[in-house]
Amino acid sequence: MTSSRNVEEVALFLKKQLQKTQEADFDKAAEYRQLLIQSIHVTAVKFSEIAASVVHALMEFLGDASSSSALHVVAFVRCAFSPHHLTSGTPY
């Protein structure tokens, strides 16, 4: 469970896993990447203090071949720059 005490560690773990999906050659890398991006997004919505620390990692995936991953990154960036979305609790 993520809390304000461990959110930094959770975000760091998710970012490391996201980077590994670029290096790994396994069947479900794109699907795993999409789930990680969604998890980072939801975590940043719940704990807005980490939004700035994850945005750079996510921006690398804007040109991702998986259009759904790129769309999730765009949704995150939209939320990150719109205070209404971050405080409303809706991830999209």
Side-chain angles (χ1 to χ4, degrees), residues 2 4 7-9 14 18 20 29 32 34 37 39 42 47 52 59 66 69 76-77 79:
T2 306
S4 58
V7 69
E8 291 292 333
E9 292 86 15
L14 291 171
L18 191 58
K20 286 181 182 180
Y32 185 49
Q34 182 179 352
I37 290 171
S39 298
V42 170
F47 304 96
M59 293 299 279
S66 167
S69 292
F76 171 77
V77 172
C79 286

Side-chain angles (χ1 to χ4, degrees), residues 39-52:
S39 298
I40 291 170
H41 184 160
V42 170
T43 304
V45 167
K46 287 184 178 181
F47 304 96
S48 60
E49 64 266 20
I50 67 153

Side-chain angles (χ1 to χ4, degrees), residues 16-77:
K16 285 182 181 180
Q17 290 298 307
L18 191 58
Q19 290 300 322
K20 286 181 182 180
T21 65
Q22 286 184 312
E23 302 162 3
D25 283 336
F26 57 93
D27 305 354
K28 306 290 183 177
E31 292 173 32
Y32 185 49
R33 182 178 311 121
Q34 182 179 352
L35 290 172
L36 288 167
I37 290 171
Q38 288 174 347
S39 298
I40 291 170
H41 184 160
V42 170
T43 304
V45 167
K46 287 184 178 181
F47 304 96
S48 60
E49 64 266 20
I50 67 153
S53 69
V54 298
V55 73
H56 294 293
L58 292 178
M59 293 299 279
E60 294 180 27
F61 296 95
L62 272 177
D64 194 359
S66 167
S67 63
S68 58
S69 292
L71 287 174
H72 286 292
V73 172
V74 170
F76 171 77
V77 172

